[in-house]
């Protein structure tokens, strides 16, 4: 990931927070047949290894797990993002020398990928992933709510993945390269936007 110094995020807590907040990631592998990518819910277990381990699963019918990867896999986690119009910059009024841009948060995690079909390991991954996303509900659904034989049959249709993270790259592009007046204009513009996703980015603009 291209990361100019002004936008580089090396803070482990910040990187971990972005990974945990991303509800859907993208798993990418390079192969002899070309790059393969799958949108997936993934979770981080930071109790394993220096940077933690990524877990998830893919459909057994998905060819990505069958094609040997060339080198490490890549998991892409996106945070809040928003379009930034030049109209919000004070510099537009002063010189007109401005262009549109996009503000966003992203984390790239790299590591060797292991795919597995062991039913017990799959059940653990599915259970942890379900608990993660059901946890905020007032009446969360649990894997154990379904008949055990049904769950076992469903597990036969998926393949688990484990990726120990060997490298993390983080980017937090939030108008840090603009002057204070321009940043204030971006914050005000995003905060007043009708798009909820824009308003989510507004508090991340540094003043």
């Amino acid at each position: 990931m291209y990361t100019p110094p002004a936008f580089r995020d090396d803070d482990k807590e910040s990187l971990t927070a972005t990974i945990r907040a991303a509800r859907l990631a993208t798993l990418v592998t390079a192969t002899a047949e070309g790059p393969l990518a799958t949108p997936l819910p993934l979770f981080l277990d930071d109790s394993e290894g220096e940077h933690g381990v990524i877990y998830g699963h893919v459909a057994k019918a998905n060819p990505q797990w069958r094609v040997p990867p060339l080198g490490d896999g890549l998991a892409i986690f996106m945070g809040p993002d928003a379009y930034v119009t030049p109209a919000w910059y004070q510099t537009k009024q002063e010189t007109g020398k401005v262009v549109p841009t996009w503000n966003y948060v992203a984390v790239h995690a790299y590591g060797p990928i292991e795919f597995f079909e062991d039913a017990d390991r799959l059940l653990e991954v599915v259970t942890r992933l379900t608990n993660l996303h059901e946890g905020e509900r007032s009446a969360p659904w649990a894997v154990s709510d379904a008949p055990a034989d049904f769950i076992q049959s469903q597990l036969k249709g998926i393949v688990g993945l484990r990726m120990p993270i060997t490298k993390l790259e983080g980017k937090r592009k939030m108008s840090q390269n603009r002057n204070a007046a321009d940043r204030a204009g971006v914050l005000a513009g995003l905060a007043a936007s009708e798009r909820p996703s824009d308003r989510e980015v507004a508090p991340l603009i540094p003043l």
Side-chain angles (χ1 to χ4, degrees):
M1 176 165 54
Y2 170 60
T3 312
F7 305 140
R8 184 176 298 123
D9 185 359
D10 293 321
D11 182 76
K12 186 173 182 179
E13 289 187 8
S14 174
L15 299 175
T16 298
T18 298
I19 290 174
R20 295 196 187 284
R23 297 179 62 82
L24 192 71
T26 301
L27 178 72
V28 182
T29 52
T31 78
E33 300 177 10
L36 299 175
T38 302
L40 292 173
L42 301 171
F43 69 86
L44 170 69
D45 186 337
D46 58 7
S47 69
E48 299 184 53
E50 179 182 359
H51 301 295
V53 175
I54 297 295
Y55 286 96
H57 60 83
V58 298
K60 187 168 286 187
N62 186 334
Q64 187 169 12
W65 75 276
R66 296 182 182 276
V67 183
L70 301 175
D72 285 348
L74 164 64
I76 301 173
F77 301 88
M78 295 301 300
D81 71 276
Y83 170 74
V84 176
T85 172
W88 291 336
Y89 293 149
Q90 177 64 34
T91 302
K92 175 183 180 297
Q93 314 302 325
E94 297 170 352
T95 69
K97 297 179 180 180
V98 290
V99 293
T101 192
W102 210 282
N103 280 354
Y104 59 90
V105 175
V107 172
H108 287 186
Y110 302 84
I113 296 181
E114 171 200 358
F115 291 105
F116 58 89
E117 299 181 75
D118 179 77
D120 290 338
R121 294 178 69 189
L122 280 172
L123 180 59
E124 181 183 2
V125 168
V126 168
T127 299
R128 293 179 66 179
L129 196 56
T130 299
N131 292 345
L132 175 65
H133 293 289
E134 288 281 339
E136 297 179 358
R137 292 173 48 81
S138 58
W141 181 87
V143 172
S144 58
D145 289 346
D149 57 346
F150 171 76
I151 293 298
Q152 289 301 318
S153 69
Q154 293 296 296
L155 294 178
K156 294 177 182 178
I158 62 175
V159 175
L161 71 92
R162 179 180 185 272
M163 190 182 83
I165 299 174
T166 57
K167 183 174 70 171
L168 280 172
E169 293 178 332
K171 188 171 184 178
R172 181 173 291 261
K173 183 177 179 294
M174 290 293 158
S175 300
Q176 299 97 317
N177 58 328
R178 306 301 308 184
N179 62 43
D182 285 353
R183 294 198 303 273
V186 172
L187 190 157
L190 291 172
S193 173
E194 295 181 357
R195 290 177 175 268
S197 57
D198 288 353
R199 297 196 298 273
E200 186 179 356
V201 173
L204 303 180
I205 305 300
L207 293 179

